[in-house]
Amino acid sequence: QQKPAAAPAAAGEDSLAAQGSAGAEWLSYGGTYDEQRHSRLTQINKDNLDQLGVAWTYEMRSGRGIETTPIVADGAMYATSSWSILHALDAKTGKELWVYDPGVDKAVGVDACCDVVNRGVAIKDGVIFLGVIDGRLEAIDAKTGKRIWSVQTVDRSKPYTVTGAPRVVGDKVLIGNGGAELGVRGYLSAYDVKTGKLVWRFYTVPNPKMQPDGAASDEVLARLGNATWGKTGRWTTDGGGGTVWDSIVYDEPNRQIIFGVGNASPWNAALRDPTSKGDNLFVSSIVAVDADTGKYKWHFQTTPRDNWDYTATQTIILANLPLGENGTPRRVVMQAPKNGFFYVLDAKTGQFISGNNFVPQNWTTGLDANGRPLETAEARPANGSSVLMPGPQGAHNWHPMAFNPDLNLAFIPAQELPQGYAPKAEADPHTKWNTGFKFEDGLPVDPVDPATMKAMRAAFKGRLIAWDPIKQAPRWSVELPTPSNGGVLSTASGLVFQGTVAGDLVGYDAANGKELWRRNLKGGIMAPPVSYEIDGEQYLAIASGWGGAYALAAGFLFDPAVQPLNGRVIVFKLGAKGEIPDHQGVPIDRKPQAAKFGDPAMLQRGLVAYSRNCMVCHGPMAISSGVLPDLRWSPLSGDADAWRDVVIDGSRREAGMVSFAKQLSPEDAEAIRAYVVLQAHGPAAK
Ligand SMILES: O=C(O)c1cc(C(=O)O)c2c(n1)C(=O)C(=O)c1cc(C(=O)O)[nH]c1-2
Ligand SMILES: [Ca+2]
């Protein structure tokens, strides 16, 4: 393991990086400050993988998407499930120590673009830091599960959410937020670990009046940011986006925080910022700020003037690569963001070193010498539409990438999924989602036939890519039948582990991609594995639980047989012989709930209203992947009054389904019902 010459830690700072790569404990989201997700442990290796068995399993208190990276410290494991529920377990036995439920008002669920997920916690000196979906940041006693402090980090009158893991650096805890699909202004905040007091905040896009905020970002927004935006357009009312919803890393030698900035809001740049052609800093950028003050140091914008939800929030990994003079080590930043390019930057200066696309893409002809994308003509259709690869789900989403510093290989949980972009001529105030694109574009009113469905399914795939960042080329890659597979763990014994949507945990040879081991965990996997050691035994831990953006929004790819399952933590070690219990799923009864009704105009209205308001959670074409109810089989779709009670009057608010009275008239709601019932009579019904 190459280690950077670390600057001495500041007084009172317990350096996680000083422990080298993740060893016996897994103390922070990415394993160490450099976030390589590379375990130093070697007991589990290529020769004994076949002896890997289930040591214990634990059933979480909620289902939907499970994206947690378990933290393992002092013999305990801290894993989160959906709705930001925190589970403390004995890491050796799986015995529950305590559960902390922040008690979220489920109505906040509709503000979550991409499911009510949580990616994990941070820990320091016996205190856990938890981001809560409703915007809170909380400090929890690691021994007792009791809350020490709680702060609200967002303006609750706006559709902010927190899904990402906080990071602790010295005496500060860092947290961002999400919400750019619905319309917010992004920022990163640092809070005092002891008191929960705000220390600094960095806004990633200008103040709507281009005035100072009294924040760490004031100087650089005035100097660089403001001039890249016009004075009018939706960004001035809707926030402009640039949410810091996932990657935040501490570059210890340079004492800086490097974070990934999300897409612009609304996505459609012509509606967002009609009077400028500016780059819209700092959307879709990697930004470095001083760790103590939050003051700007450098930035690299991956997608100038983003128009496609091409976030740069994906995993940021720090490493030394032999890219200095005469092959000497050079400390670099690596990222494979949604836009499909793998970037290598100088960590100290942010200078672009190299970049190349890791999946096929058609929005550029490549990068220029500074790493700026050279856009193709179809990238920004003025009217009409174009099918672009990647689409808004990205060539790589939040699923963590890993890096093996012995092999100098990054392992990207990539995906290949094109999507049509059809810009709206005007912003539509009657949707919660605020993208400026027509989600109904290309979708038929009538249910699609099985052959078309099959072709659509076949067009989307996943890929695990071992990427050589020096050559900027794949070393090996494995094609997977679906997108949105799990995050990755690399180990010093030359293994790579990744879970799949179908629920298989797979072990590969890191050098050549040969599959060495596979086990079905009986539940879809998105979360990344971690490894740790207790009493001389190495453990491999992973959470199962299907959901997140892809599952909600691309439901038609799946054919769930049962209702949603609870999340689980499943832990392996050599020689263990445990079993994974079957889930007690309730079978889905696929039956239309009413006779077809509605004339063509009503059905068309239903298609448009459904696609703009319901689709991102209940699935396109009214086909759910089973995370949220499939409306085609819901008894509500057979009962006009009950349907209106839910959609307009909000009678299921407690369960998270709020009233859409602001977005939809009762006539719209009934048109949606007609459209949903029609879908129930399609070939999917058995
Ligand atoms: O722009 C944002 O603020 C924002 C937030 C989040 C989030 O917090 O989960 C996601 C996205 N965007 C997003 O574009 C996306 O594809 C996505 C996938 C997921 C997920 O957890 O599956 N979250 C998010
Ligand atoms: Ca987004």
Side-chain angles (χ1 to χ4, degrees):
Q1 158 76 2
Q2 311 160 347
K3 276 208 71 219
E13 177 171 332
D14 59 344
S15 166
L16 296 177
Q19 300 161 44
S21 188
E25 298 183 305
W26 192 279
L27 292 171
S28 64
Y29 185 68
T32 62
Y33 279 148
D34 287 354
E35 305 222 358
Q36 295 180 352
R37 290 182 179 268
H38 178 73
S39 171
R40 269 193 286 124
L41 303 177
T42 54
Q43 189 178 74
I44 299 171
N45 61 44
K46 289 175 203 172
D47 300 326
N48 59 20
L49 257 185
D50 57 330
Q51 294 159 38
L52 207 52
V54 175
W56 55 265
T57 67
Y58 171 80
E59 184 113 359
M60 292 170 141
R61 299 273 171 92
S62 62
R64 298 185 58 158
I66 305 295
E67 301 187 351
T68 193
T69 292
I71 296 295
V72 181
D74 246 345
M77 174 184 291
Y78 304 94
T80 53
S81 58
S82 55
W83 299 110
S84 329
I85 299 170
L86 171 58
H87 306 254
L89 313 173
D90 183 317
K92 186 171 173 159
T93 64
K95 184 175 158 263
E96 183 178 292
L97 303 174
W98 49 259
V99 175
Y100 174 78
D101 183 345
V104 171
D105 174 355
K106 292 204 162 54
V108 82
V110 292
D111 289 343
C113 67
C114 309
D115 206 355
V116 290
V117 294
N118 185 285
R119 301 196 186 88
V121 295
I123 187 166
K124 169 167 168 122
D125 297 340
V127 181
I128 311 279
F129 300 94
L130 171 71
V132 181
I133 189 80
D134 63 13
R136 281 176 280 166
L137 173 67
E138 305 202 311
I140 315 289
D141 186 311
K143 281 269 164 328
T144 64
K146 295 271 172 328
R147 187 161 69 199
I148 301 168
W149 55 253
S150 172
V151 287
Q152 180 50 264
T153 69
V154 302
D155 174 353
R156 270 272 18 108
S157 72
K158 305 227 160 75
Y160 282 105
T161 48
V162 170
T163 59
R167 312 292 205 280
V168 179
V169 174
D171 57 2
K172 296 178 194 68
V173 51
L174 298 151
I175 186 81
N177 47 59
E181 270 64 80
L182 294 94
V184 299
R185 181 182 179 209
Y187 54 87
L188 175 70
S189 312
Y191 290 87
D192 185 284
V193 292
K194 286 269 175 336
T195 63
K197 255 187 71 181
L198 181 68
V199 184
W200 55 254
R201 177 164 289 173
F202 187 98
Y203 287 95
T204 57
V205 303
N207 175 296
K209 301 207 168 76
M210 300 215 184
Q211 287 167 357
D213 298 293
S217 40
D218 284 358
E219 183 274 328
V220 71
L221 287 174
R223 180 163 56 85
L224 290 179
N226 292 354
T228 65
W229 296 75
K231 291 213 158 47
T232 61
R234 292 293 296 215
W235 82 270
T236 60
T237 51
D238 303 353
T243 41
V244 184
W245 59 268
D246 197 32
S247 56
I248 308 167
V249 303
Y250 179 42
D251 175 9
E252 189 177 45
N254 295 309
R255 268 205 88 72
Q256 60 190 1
I257 310 291
I258 305 176
F259 57 94
V261 183
N263 57 280
S265 175
W267 298 353
N268 184 339
L271 297 182
R272 179 174 74 242
D273 177 25
T275 48
S276 104
K277 297 242 180 308
D279 285 351
N280 293 174
L281 292 176
F282 292 97
V283 303
S284 303
S285 301
I286 301 170
V287 177
V289 299
D290 182 275
D292 298 310
T293 63
K295 293 271 165 60
Y296 171 89
K297 293 183 81 169
W298 57 257
H299 79 278
F300 174 81
Q301 190 173 36
T302 64
T303 308
R305 200 171 171 81
D306 167 51
N307 193 57
W308 311 275
D309 190 16
Y310 285 172
T311 64
T313 56
Q314 280 56 41
T315 321
I316 291 174
I317 290 179
L318 300 171
N320 289 323
L321 293 180
L323 293 171
E325 258 172 74
N326 304 319
T328 51
R330 184 167 181 187
R331 187 162 169 79
V332 302
V333 176
M334 290 179 278
Q335 192 193 46
K338 271 191 186 177
N339 77 9
F341 285 88
F342 191 99
Y343 296 94
V344 179
L345 312 177
D346 184 274
K348 194 173 169 79
T349 63
Q351 189 199 330
F352 172 74
I353 297 174
S354 63
N356 198 5
N357 57 305
F358 58 91
V359 295
Q361 57 82 31
N362 66 349
W363 72 284
T364 78
T365 55
L367 305 177
D368 75 10
N370 298 315
R372 189 180 173 96
L374 301 162
E375 288 179 20
T376 53
E378 71 247 58
R380 292 181 197 264
N383 35 52
S385 68
S386 49
V387 175
L388 297 182
M389 175 103 124
Q393 296 275 345
H396 171 214
N397 207 303
W398 65 271
H399 314 79
M401 167 172 97
F403 178 76
N404 182 320
D406 305 321
L407 301 173
N408 282 338
L409 277 184
F411 306 101
I412 317 168
Q415 47 195 20
E416 297 177 15
L417 57 159
Q419 184 164 313
Y421 286 82
K424 288 184 194 167
E426 280 170 49
D428 176 1
H430 299 293
T431 61
K432 282 188 190 291
W433 271 52
N434 182 35
T435 64
F437 287 94
K438 296 178 206 158
F439 283 165
E440 69 278 13
D441 191 62
L443 296 180
V445 166
D446 289 320
V448 290
D449 59 87
T452 308
M453 186 74 83
K454 206 171 153 204
M456 285 196 289
R457 286 184 173 141
F460 288 12
K461 30 179 194 265
R463 200 172 272 290
L464 175 62
I465 305 173
W467 188 261
D468 179 337
I470 300 165
K471 292 202 179 108
Q472 285 285 12
R475 176 84 53 88
W476 53 260
S477 107
V478 176
E479 185 176 316
L480 301 164
T482 70
S484 196
N485 298 288
V488 181
L489 172 73
S490 161
T491 76
S493 51
L495 295 170
V496 172
F497 290 99
Q498 184 193 28
T500 71
V501 165
D504 287 350
L505 179 60
V506 187
Y508 298 94
D509 185 328
N512 55 31
K514 196 173 155 228
E515 180 178 320
L516 301 174
W517 179 83
R518 178 183 287 260
R519 174 90 188 239
N520 188 271
L521 308 192
K522 304 185 182 176
I525 303 169
M526 300 183 296
V530 301
S531 195
Y532 57 94
E533 183 186 294
I534 297 177
D535 297 339
E537 289 183 300
Q538 183 183 355
Y539 294 80
L540 177 70
I542 190 160
S544 66
W546 173 231
Y550 187 74
L552 292 184
F556 68 93
L557 286 161
F558 302 97
D559 196 14
V562 293
Q563 294 290 355
L565 312 168
N566 272 349
R568 281 178 172 171
V569 180
I570 298 162
V571 175
F572 294 86
K573 68 173 182 181
L574 294 174
K577 297 260 180 325
E579 289 293 327
I580 299 169
D582 287 327
H583 281 281
Q584 305 298 311
V586 181
I588 293 171
D589 192 7
R590 291 191 172 87
K591 253 195 349 244
Q593 303 290 310
K596 295 185 225 181
F597 65 98
D599 60 20
M602 184 185 198
L603 290 164
Q604 177 64 28
R605 179 178 181 172
L607 162 72
V608 172
Y610 178 90
S611 301
R612 294 185 179 185
N613 290 282
C614 318
M615 170 176 132
V616 292
C617 290
H618 290 281
M621 301 172 282
I623 306 174
S624 165
S625 63
V627 180
L628 289 194
D630 192 312
L631 301 177
R632 294 172 300 171
W633 327 127
S634 162
L636 292 172
S637 67
D639 181 335
D641 291 338
W643 181 267
R644 203 191 53 225
D645 279 353
V646 173
V647 178
I648 301 297
D649 300 332
S651 63
R652 294 241 171 127
R653 189 190 176 282
E654 301 287 285
M657 173 60 199
V658 300
S659 160
F660 276 68
K662 280 210 191 96
Q663 288 75 31
L664 300 168
S665 66
E667 293 72 35
D668 292 329
E670 188 61 1
I672 292 174
R673 192 172 74 87
Y675 168 74
V676 166
V677 168
L678 177 64
Q679 307 313 305
H681 288 273
K686 298 218 170 94

